[in-house]
Amino acid sequence: MNFELTEEQKYIKSAAKEFAEGEFKPEIAREFDQKHEFPSAIYKKAAKLGFIGCYFDEKYGGQGLGLLENVLMEEEFCRVDSTLGSALFAGLFGSDMILEYGTEEQKMEYLPKSAQGEWLSAGAFTEPAHGSDVTVMDTVAVRDGDEYVINGAKTMITNAPIAEYAVVLCQTDPEARHKGQSLFIVKKGTPGFDCNELTGKMGIRASLLGEYSFSDVHVPKEALLGEENRGFYHFLQFIDVGRINVAAQSVGMAQGAFERALKYAKQREQFGRRLADFQVIQHKLADMALDIESARLLTYKAAWHVDQGQIIPKWACMAKTLATTNAMRVVSEAMQIFGGYGYLADYDIERYYRDIRISAIYEGTTEIQKNVVARILLRE
């Protein structure tokens, strides 16, 4: 086994670090957090430099890189700043499904502008009444000649208030439950397609959230994404890759919190000694480093398998579970090392603390991940 990154991957990681450290100034990040505002200018700059959609084929505006390269960038961005890093890498949420299942016409229409930072996308899967249970959809799409008519509602949708289009999971065969679901691309401004922004979030406030309503929304049959009545299975493959990205975010946030805590422990004095000289603090730092490294290795392994053409749900769920659980513990310990100062916005740890909490909820809760892993283990 070779655990070393290639020279190209090392360069990509270094370039992401340089960009993030140059653009993600603490005062800027705090402002976007306080205003609940998406960092559009930084996003477009990142896209022009190739950090957004790097895994898209070159003809669609990407660089043809793999998921592991994307994971390296995502980790570095979230290490430098949890708020801006998570917002930037959520900008393409949903568009990956067009890359995987779209027709050539769909890919050419949506992907280049997405990779260039001109358009943001959304994935509309969660419903108000069902939450984690995506086997049941109240949002329906009924075929009407050369169109589909969509009615229903979606909630907790990342980018919804600012997305140019959304990939929407609908019930197309009411009798077949999850075996009768389909995906559709719905453009912003389509009559009957409305959005309401959800505010008051605890964390990742620069990544905007909203809810969609569909009232007799007519879309052409060309808006169907992938196979009719196979949408649920398309979604499962998409979410497995997405879980690895969440794991990468979590590793990055944990690393960023750890580095801040380590620096503080070396500088802060109590009772005539540096915090770093106390064994209890040393043990905290050692445990934090162990948590980060174990999560990083599993995340890289899951991403590597995807790049080999093997999307393995077990590794994706394990990576997300371990990375998010460990990261929450690391950030909590970082705040403990900072003490009262960690509770203040000026030290940013409180923002990392708020931002990391959602990682154990979105793209499948920790409980859902364990259910999936357990089923796989019992089947094996």
Side-chain angles (χ1 to χ4, degrees), residues 114-133:
S114 298
Q116 293 161 11
E118 296 180 27
W119 286 357
L120 276 78
S121 57
F125 314 115
T126 304
E127 296 196 340
H130 303 298
S132 296
D133 185 7

Side-chain angles (χ1 to χ4, degrees), residues 312-354:
I312 303 176
K314 180 173 75 172
W315 297 129
C317 291
M318 282 183 169
K320 183 180 186 294
T321 300
L322 186 67
T324 56
T325 301
N326 287 8
M328 287 193 295
R329 185 163 54 234
V330 168
V331 176
S332 179
E333 289 287 46
M335 178 174 282
Q336 197 70 16
I337 290 173
F338 271 86
Y341 286 117
Y343 209 65
L344 301 178
D346 287 349
Y347 286 80
D348 292 320
I349 289 297
E350 67 86 27
R351 189 157 50 80
Y352 274 73
Y353 191 86
R354 289 187 286 108

Side-chain angles (χ1 to χ4, degrees), residues 49-65:
L49 292 174
F51 295 116
I52 305 300
C54 69
Y55 49 89
F56 286 5
D57 293 341
E58 291 184 14
K59 64 178 178 178
Y60 306 133
Q63 301 180 61
L65 299 176

Side-chain angles (χ1 to χ4, degrees), residues 102-117:
T103 63
E104 188 62 22
E105 291 74 19
Q106 289 171 334
K107 292 176 182 179
M108 292 305 299
E109 180 177 359
Y110 294 101
L111 297 184
K113 289 186 178 180
S114 298
Q116 293 161 11

